[in-house]
Amino acid sequence: MIWLISDEMHESFIKTKLATRKGLVAKKRKFSLQIGNEIEARRQNRDSSTSKW
C-alpha cells in the first residue's frame, strides 16, 4: 500500500490518531473508575443491609 499523502497531511493524521487514542484511554480509565465506584457502592449497600440483622 503506497501513501500518496503529503508530509503535512500525514503528520496531522498521526496527531489526530494519537489524540483519539489518548481520548480512548481517558474514556476507558473513566469507565473503569465508574465501575469500581459502582461495585464499592453495592458492597457498602450489602454490608449495611446484612449488618441490620
Side-chain angles (χ1 to χ4, degrees), residues 26-43:
K27 266 187 193 170
K28 275 187 183 175
R29 200 168 287 161
K30 206 174 182 184
F31 191 64
S32 61
L33 276 174
Q34 258 185 332
I35 290 173
N37 288 345
E38 251 180 62
I39 291 169
E40 193 60 39
R42 279 186 197 163
R43 194 175 290 144

Side-chain angles (χ1 to χ4, degrees), residues 12-25:
S12 64
F13 177 73
I14 289 170
K15 277 180 189 166
T16 49
K17 213 173 183 185
L18 283 172
T20 50
R21 188 168 285 176
K22 273 186 186 171
L24 278 173
V25 169

